[in-house]
Amino acid sequence: MIDWPNVTESSYEELGLKPEELQRSKCVLGFIPVIYYSVLLCVGVPVNILTAVALCRLASRTKKALYYYLLAVTGSDILSQLFIIFVGFLLETAVFHRDVPKVLLHVVSAAEFAANHASIWSTVPLTVDRYVALCHPLLHRQISYPARARKIITAVLVLSLGSGVPFFWWSDVWRDSHPPTALDSVLIWTHVTIIYFLPCSIFLVLNSLIIHTLRIRQKKQPCQEERGPPRCLGKTTAMLLALTSMFSVLWAPRTVVVIYHLYVSSVHQNWRVHLAYDLSNMLAMLNTAVNFFLYCFVSRPFRSAVRDIVLLRGGPLYPRWALTQQQAPTNASISSLYSGNNKRSQRDSTPLSPRRNKKPS
């Protein structure tokens, strides 16, 4: 990110290359990435911690699997901010200029990829849960509950941690002067498949099925007047579509630049590719700090929970919005019970018909 020497004099002799062959690309952004990541870290970590506390309250109150999945996404975003932004970009690069033991660099690289994979793949169970809830509601009532959600989240985190191990051998694209090797090609394609192509394919298929199902329901609903007005797109579904769309847009430039670096021109040699790589990383990391604002815009229960936390209030065990939703079916059952008792009392007080009172002759 910052214009410091890429290699030492001893490395020239070890590689047997001339200095002009190791001419590295200039970083035209200067200290802008350092300022950007510092601001993103100072804003993103407190905001995500606030999001995690609010989601914990909502999960304990409602016992819905949805909030456990959102909590997993938030926790993974915090790990990504700590490992990738704080340790990777700020400490190693801006402060120590990567002048640390090589083994430590590779260990941190593996931790960065593990946190990155967890942040992305935590959204996949959320998408599957919303698909089952909308397209197979009866099945969703049977399989979606907090205990199973916690098991799924644990499995995703363990798999993400394991998927980061091969990236211990990830090359430093900013400073490695040699062209990408066969191992680099395997790691790069594995990386873009795990973080972009595979999750985006899942998002595209499930979101398309969700939208298709909702459109069919809207077409059928006007013909069934007894069921009320046609259902519109729910806020939870809208939030899911916004989350997955935002991820697809923010991570697309980095995926393209990494593949371009592999086959066309190296980040180390071409300043334009270097600039594109820096900007694409900045866009991708922005995805770890924007979910809070999306939740506040879409969800009224989340806004209420955040307001209670900021004002240092415990909040009611059952919020007003939940009681309002429960009041309608309760009143309906009470009224139906009253009407049933009223009819029964009228039937008991009605005199017998003449035919039944008439005595046999």
Side-chain angles (χ1 to χ4, degrees):
M1 291 185 294
I2 305 173
D3 192 11
W4 47 67
N6 220 9
V7 291
T8 60
E9 294 294 334
S10 60
S11 62
Y12 293 157
E13 300 176 357
E14 294 173 359
L15 295 173
L17 298 175
K18 298 179 180 180
E20 57 267 21
E21 294 175 347
L22 295 173
Q23 181 79 27
R24 87 173 183 90
S25 58
K26 300 284 185 179
C27 179
V28 298
L29 292 179
F31 283 91
I32 293 178
V34 178
I35 299 173
Y36 171 82
Y37 287 124
S38 300
V39 173
L40 188 63
L41 189 69
C42 294
V43 174
V45 172
V47 158
N48 280 330
I49 292 176
L50 179 60
T51 303
V53 176
L55 291 174
C56 282
R57 287 194 174 190
L58 291 174
S60 62
R61 292 174 186 173
T62 61
K63 305 299 181 182
K64 289 184 178 180
L66 168 67
Y67 293 115
Y68 288 91
Y69 292 127
L70 293 177
L71 186 58
V73 174
T74 304
S76 301
D77 287 341
I78 294 175
L79 292 178
S80 298
Q81 290 173 340
L82 293 179
F83 282 106
I84 300 176
I85 298 177
F86 180 67
V87 177
F89 286 116
L90 295 180
L91 283 184
E92 284 187 353
T93 307
V95 177
F96 296 107
H97 296 184
R98 304 187 77 83
D99 188 14
V100 295
K102 200 169 185 179
V103 176
L104 180 60
L105 288 176
H106 289 292
V107 170
V108 172
S109 177
E112 290 174 357
F113 280 98
N116 188 11
H117 297 167
S119 177
I120 294 170
W121 278 89
S122 297
T123 315
V124 174
L126 172 65
T127 308
V128 175
D129 181 78
R130 289 297 89 198
Y131 163 75
V132 177
L134 290 172
C135 300
H136 307 282
L138 297 179
L139 178 63
H140 183 263
R141 294 177 183 177
Q142 299 176 1
I143 67 174
S144 181
Y145 48 88
R148 173 166 289 181
R150 288 192 293 266
K151 292 179 181 178
I152 294 175
I153 292 168
T154 302
V156 170
L157 294 179
V158 171
L159 292 175
S160 300
L161 181 62
S163 67
V165 174
F167 295 93
F168 177 87
W169 293 273
W170 179 267
S171 298
D172 189 348
V173 297
W174 280 298
R175 289 164 182 78
D176 285 344
S177 56
H178 60 77
T181 62
L183 178 61
D184 294 334
S185 300
V186 173
L187 290 178
I188 286 176
W189 275 109
T190 303
H191 173 59
V192 297
T193 301
I194 291 176
I195 63 116
Y196 195 77
F197 291 126
L198 189 55
C200 282
S201 300
I202 296 174
F203 296 154
L204 178 62
V205 171
L206 295 183
N207 289 340
S208 300
L209 292 175
I210 290 173
I211 294 175
H212 179 69
T213 302
L214 292 178
R215 286 181 176 177
I216 292 178
R217 289 179 182 176
Q218 289 179 356
K219 290 180 180 179
K220 292 182 178 179
Q221 204 73 357
C223 300
Q224 301 172 356
E225 297 178 356
E226 67 276 4
R227 296 187 182 181
R231 295 176 59 185
C232 60
L233 186 66
K235 290 186 177 181
T236 305
T237 306
M239 181 178 65
L240 171 66
L241 296 178
L243 276 176
T244 54
S245 301
M246 191 181 307
F247 161 77
S248 302
V249 171
L250 294 179
W251 276 90
R254 187 181 185 279
T255 304
V256 173
V257 172
V258 169
I259 297 175
Y260 189 89
H261 158 79
L262 179 62
Y263 291 107
V264 182
S265 182
S266 172
V267 173
H268 181 273
Q269 297 175 354
N270 192 330
W271 69 269
R272 295 179 180 85
V273 183
H274 193 154
L275 174 62
Y277 194 68
D278 285 341
L279 292 176
S280 63
N281 281 328
M282 294 165 66
L283 277 178
M285 289 298 100
L286 181 63
N287 188 60
T288 62
V290 297
N291 290 343
F292 169 82
F293 305 99
L294 177 63
Y295 299 160
C296 287
F297 179 75
V298 172
S299 176
R300 185 173 61 180
F302 182 80
R303 291 195 301 268
S304 301
V306 170
R307 183 171 58 250
D308 292 338
I309 296 170
V310 173
L311 298 178
L312 301 178
R313 297 187 306 193
L317 183 61
Y318 299 100
R320 184 179 302 175
W321 55 269
L323 295 176
T324 304
Q325 293 177 354
Q326 295 176 359
Q327 188 175 4
T330 303
N331 291 341
S333 61
I334 293 175
S335 61
S336 61
L337 179 63
Y338 175 77
S339 61
N341 291 337
N342 191 18
K343 291 179 180 179
R344 190 180 298 111
S345 61
Q346 290 178 359
R347 184 175 63 250
D348 294 341
S349 60
T350 303
L352 296 176
S353 60
R355 292 182 180 178
R356 299 184 61 179
N357 288 333
K358 186 176 181 181
K359 295 181 181 180
S361 55

